[in-house]
């Protein structure tokens, strides 16, 4: 009987200890996790905007090209305006971004309100992440991004699978340190594919897809506008309007490329912020510095994307 009391007492102490550890974990992480969630939402929205920006600019060039051709339209109008990033490929990019945002949300649930039953949307997303991780669509989708290796797409697939499992797993706040450590390489792997696709400066040897395509498309728009300027009578209102339009395109090209570069930098800083989150208990200032840098970097691009025409 004495032994039973001892075991029962020990269990009670253990429960209290675990509860205390969980509460301590909540206190130490809650604010940082919330800030990371805000940063993740910002970066995800901007990256979606980057793809919209490039596709819309390509569409603008396609419209201009068709409008300068004489005679009837000889092609199928439904196929006359192909996007640079196809809808199928865009869906895969959106899945990567959904995974990053869902991961940040899952962390927030651990430090916020008590866990509830999984909703249908969360289960559906987890299943879609697992599905994409287990077939070759991911690798095939990034085949045009020459700087992305098979090893990197494999790492991203592993990241999708891990986050999919996390979304449906039963976790408590005390698991946070282990979850953060385990998922650091997965967050980095997902972001890496998107960073590579945005690419380097347009005049580099490896310009990448988005920045390179955007810059070349603006070059075509600028050349067409130069032709319009040269065809306008000197001193006419038409010439003045054409020159104004040319100046606007020069500025738009520079600002659009800066927005893509800012988005790429924000993705890199999101990875750095997650790495700093691992050490938030011992070096809280490090995390705050990383998040502040991310949000400051993101603001200019965010302002630019906010001015884009709504879909």
């Amino acid at each position: 009987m004495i032994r039973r009391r001892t075991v029962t007492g020990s269990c009670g102490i253990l429960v209290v200890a675990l509860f205390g550890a969980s509460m301590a974990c909540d206190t130490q992480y809650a604010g940082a996790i919330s800030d990371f969630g805000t940063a993740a939402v910002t970066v995800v929205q901007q990256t979606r905007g980057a793809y919209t920006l490039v596709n819309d600019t390509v569409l603008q060039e396609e419209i201009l090209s068709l409008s300068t051709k004489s005679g009837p339209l000889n092609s199928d109008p439904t196929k006359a305006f192909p996007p640079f990033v196809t809808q199928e490929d865009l869906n895969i990019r959106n899945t990567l971004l959904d995974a990053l945002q869902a991961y940040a949300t899952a962390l927030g649930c651990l430090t916020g309100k008590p866990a509830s039953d999984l909703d249908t949307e969360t289960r559906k997303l987890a299943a879609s992440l697992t599905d994409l991780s287990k077939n070759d669509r991911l690798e095939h989708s990034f085949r045009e991004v020459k700087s992305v290796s098979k090893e990197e797409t494999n790492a991203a697939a592993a990241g999708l699978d891990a986050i999919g499992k996390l979304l449906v797993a039963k976790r408590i706040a005390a698991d946070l340190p282990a979850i953060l450590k385990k998922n650091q390489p997965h967050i980095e792997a997902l972001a890496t594919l998107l960073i590579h696709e945005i690419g380097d400066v347009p005049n580099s040897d490896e310009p990448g897809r988005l920045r390179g395509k955007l810059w070349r498309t603006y070059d075509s728009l600028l050349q067409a506008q130069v032709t319009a300027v040269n065809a306008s009578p000197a001193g006419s209102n038409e010439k003045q309007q054409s020159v104004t339009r040319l100046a606007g395109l020069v500025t738009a090209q520079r600002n659009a490329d800066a927005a893509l570069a800012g988005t790429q930098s924000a993705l890199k800083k999101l990875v750095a912020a997650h790495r700093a989150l691992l050490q938030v208990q011992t070096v809280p200032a490090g995390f705050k510095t990383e998040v502040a840098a991310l949000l400051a970097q993101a603001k200019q691009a965010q302002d630019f994307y906010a001015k884009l025409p709504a879909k």
Side-chain angles (χ1 to χ4, degrees):
M1 179 66 81
I2 293 175
R3 181 176 299 173
R4 181 182 298 251
R5 285 201 188 99
T6 302
V7 171
T8 303
S10 297
C11 287
I13 293 171
L14 179 60
V15 168
V16 171
L18 287 173
F19 179 76
S22 176
M23 291 297 291
C25 192
D26 277 352
T27 302
Q28 293 161 340
Y29 279 106
I33 292 296
S34 177
D35 290 343
F36 180 78
T38 299
V41 168
T42 299
V43 173
V44 165
Q45 288 176 341
Q46 283 196 18
T47 309
R48 294 192 205 278
Y51 287 100
T52 299
L53 170 63
V54 175
N55 273 350
D56 284 357
T57 306
V58 169
L59 175 61
Q60 185 181 353
E61 181 195 23
E62 290 167 344
I63 292 172
L64 178 63
S65 177
L66 278 178
S67 67
T68 58
K69 293 180 180 178
S70 60
L73 179 65
N74 295 321
S75 60
D76 182 350
T78 63
K79 300 178 181 178
F81 310 102
F84 179 62
V85 182
T86 67
Q87 189 60 52
E88 181 181 1
D89 286 342
L90 193 58
N91 289 343
I92 289 177
R93 274 71 176 165
N94 282 330
T95 299
L96 298 179
L97 294 169
D98 288 342
L100 289 172
Q101 188 162 324
Y103 171 77
T105 300
L107 295 182
C109 289
L110 288 177
T111 58
K113 61 185 179 181
S116 58
D117 292 338
L118 291 174
D119 59 80
T120 302
E121 288 302 314
T122 300
R123 290 185 183 278
K124 184 178 178 180
L125 175 59
S128 71
L129 299 184
T130 302
D131 176 63
L132 182 57
S133 74
K134 296 186 181 304
N135 61 56
D136 61 357
R137 284 187 298 141
L138 182 63
E139 181 180 352
H140 181 74
S141 182
F142 280 87
R143 66 194 180 283
E144 298 295 336
V145 188
K146 295 180 172 39
S147 57
V148 170
S149 67
K150 181 178 177 61
E151 290 73 21
E152 286 171 331
T153 54
N154 286 344
L160 290 172
D161 186 50
I163 292 174
K165 291 176 179 176
L166 174 66
L167 295 182
V168 297
K170 296 293 185 181
R171 302 285 185 179
I172 60 173
D175 295 331
L176 260 173
I179 291 172
L180 294 171
K181 183 176 181 180
K182 179 180 179 180
N183 283 285
Q184 174 62 30
H186 299 322
I187 298 304
E188 187 165 354
L190 296 179
T192 293
L193 294 189
L194 301 167
I195 289 167
H196 277 313
E197 184 159 50
I198 291 174
D200 207 338
V201 290
N203 60 353
S204 68
D205 294 332
E206 292 281 346
R209 291 193 79 210
L210 298 190
R211 289 182 72 185
K213 180 63 175 178
L214 183 76
W215 195 268
R216 292 192 300 273
T217 301
Y218 265 107
D219 280 347
S220 296
L221 292 170
L222 285 165
Q223 186 55 52
Q225 192 59 34
V226 167
T227 300
V229 169
N230 292 338
S232 303
S236 66
N237 288 336
E238 182 183 355
K239 183 120 184 168
Q240 183 176 2
Q241 291 171 359
S242 293
V243 172
T244 301
R245 166 72 173 156
L246 180 63
L249 283 172
V250 170
T251 300
Q253 182 182 42
R254 183 172 59 249
N255 290 345
D257 180 66
L260 292 186
T263 300
Q264 184 188 59
S265 180
L267 281 163
K268 293 177 181 178
K269 284 181 168 58
L270 183 67
V271 175
H274 188 274
R275 189 179 297 113
L277 194 55
L278 289 166
Q279 301 176 319
V280 74
Q281 291 176 297
T282 55
V283 192
F287 174 76
K288 291 180 180 179
T289 299
E290 292 292 349
V291 170
L294 186 160
L295 294 176
Q297 175 72 58
K299 187 179 186 311
Q300 184 175 1
Q302 192 170 9
D303 291 344
F304 178 85
Y305 292 130
K307 295 175 184 177
L308 295 177
K311 289 292 187 182

